Amino acid sequence: MTNNEGSATLVSLRSAYAGRVWTEPGEMAPFLSDWRGKWKGPALAVAQPANTDEVAQLLAWCHAHGVAVVPQGGNTGLSGGSVPEAGSVGRRLPLLLSLTRLNRVRHLDPLNNTLVVEAGATLQQVQDVAREAGLLFPLSLAAEGSCTIGGNLATNAGGVQVLRYGNARELCLGLEVVTPEGEVWNGLRTLRKDNTGYDLRDLYIGSEGTLGVITAAVLKLFPLPAAQVVALVAVQGPDAALQLLTLAQQRTGASLTAFELLSDTCMSLVLHHVPGTRRPLAEASPWYVLLEVSVHGDKEDAQIRAAQTMEDLLEAAMEQGVVTDAALSTTLAQFEALWALRENISEAQGAEGPTIKHDIALPISRVPEFIARTDAMVGAAFPQVRQVTFGHLGDGNLHYNASPAATGPLDAAAKAAFLALEGPLNRLVHDAVHALGGSISAEHGLGVLRRDESARYKAPVELRLMQRIKAALDPAGLMNPAKLLPETPLAHRP
Ligand code: FAD
């Protein structure tokens, strides 16, 4: 598109969608950079439609004018998928489509345990609506105040309750989607069973805005637990943590709602950087597990039953020598204080200095082997690095992160030298993940961050099938270009 064509397109867009489209640099800026300022890119304009019809009109307009579309929810994604690509300068500029005004709750059916909401509703808004009806929407992550249901589904978000309730995909029964041509597909089915052909819903979930725009969803709700107890326990290592997981699953079944692993490095970072936190155990331990038990039924004795379930489990674990010490929550304040030790790790690591992150998944049984093997390789090859390992052990999902080995503030040169390790460290870690049958992106998606890296590990046939799906659902290639899949035609890749 030439400059003249570009400004003519802009004039036509402004006049067709006055009041819903922003074109001034100052107005657009907050939408064109991700929340960490890591990715930035230019756009033709920012549009904020307020309903599905407006999304459909905008997409039809983009299709007619050959303008690409970058869908954006809460802009909390961690892989750079929600903002235009920097390389779009000199190419066709995309329209940034912000869905945050599309945030109505359409229908709650307590007997069907379903909630129909628009894509721009925040996760917290949905949790609150469910709770007010005495029900639970169990997706839970630290960005829940800002991230949107559309973004959660487009990235197939995970979080801390996946062990019990599944990830975003498993919490969604139906979708409403606007196609790149501007057609509306109403797939808002509230059914638990529906075997009527290819599952389009599952194609759009996890597609990171590359196939169409999610405008509404049917979400599954669950009974609200009557009581919850959390425990922080000391374990000698990931092997012991895995033994505890097996024991906990055997003894507590579906009552086990979270099982998180963290190293003492993580604990120390939180204690150092997050005011008001304290280690609830007398002695430091090399590793810890934070586990949560939820019970249902009569509210009267629920707290006692939850505590009893946890105490019985930990007593058995201590007898078997799996756990060396434990602290249990008996009040809401203690419950929140124990969870804060886990939930503040990312923030504490950021406060410590630059970070290199890996969001990886492994077969749960192979997590201890992965940590032992990869820690040894990283230690040998990158002595400048300190491992900051934590994650959702119950899901086989680790945040296998790195900070500089040197503590204290770094000067610009030292910071740049550490960040220069990102490529080689990613390669070492991802090769180790791949060798154990794992995934290089467990819950954060590919976006631009892991797009090319993922293509490196996928079989050519899998990539070709994905490319064909993209070509079938977005033949003009207008939806979130250069995200998730490499742009190079796969037929020409070595
Ligand atoms: P955005 O960031 O706006 O977009 C993400 C992707 O989805 C982009 O590719 C975008 O194009 C696409 N998209 C957004 N909305 C739509 C739509 N309506 N239709 C089509 N495509 C769309 N993630 C986890 O999985 N687990 C965690 O525990 C977790 N913890 C986090 C903690 C913090 C502090 C932060 C900042 C992030 C965390 N995340 C986590 C990542 C992030 O919150 C999730 O990926 C979230 O699902 C993104 O939602 P969003 O609305 O912000 O989407």
Side-chain angles (χ1 to χ4, degrees), residues 35 70-78 81-82 99 119 140-143 146-160 208-209 212-215 392 399 443-444 480:
W35 65 282
V70 179
Q72 185 182 89
N75 200 9
T76 67
L78 296 169
S82 57
L99 279 310
S140 173
L141 40 119
S146 311
C147 66
T148 63
I149 288 299
N152 297 152
L153 291 166
T155 58
N156 188 23
V160 291
E208 298 182 47
V213 177
I214 298 170
T215 46
H392 318 293
H399 299 303
E443 57 177 12
H444 296 164
N480 218 357

Side-chain angles (χ1 to χ4, degrees), residues 91-174:
R91 291 198 283 162
R92 289 179 313 184
L93 292 183
L95 178 76
L96 189 297
L97 189 74
S98 164
L99 279 310
T100 51
R101 287 176 65 199
L102 211 74
N103 60 1
R104 284 184 315 128
V105 172
R106 290 197 191 162
H107 183 59
L108 172 77
D109 182 347
L111 295 181
N112 198 39
N113 282 315
T114 47
L115 180 66
V116 185
V117 283
E118 293 183 343
T122 64
L123 173 53
Q124 193 165 32
Q125 186 185 342
V126 168
Q127 292 168 343
D128 291 347
V129 169
R131 199 172 301 110
E132 278 158 26
L135 293 164
L136 171 75
F137 182 62
L139 190 67
S140 173
L141 40 119
E144 60 203 23
S146 311
C147 66
T148 63
I149 288 299
N152 297 152
L153 291 166
T155 58
N156 188 23
V160 291
Q161 305 272 298
V162 174
L163 168 71
R164 167 68 181 85
Y165 298 100
N167 47 25
R169 183 185 301 284
E170 287 153 286
L171 299 172
C172 175
L173 294 177

Side-chain angles (χ1 to χ4, degrees), residues 1-14 44 61:
M1 194 184 293
T2 64
N3 276 348
N4 284 345
E5 283 167 346
S7 36
T9 310
L10 204 53
V11 170
S12 123
L13 180 67
R14 270 206 208 109
L44 179 70
W61 183 92

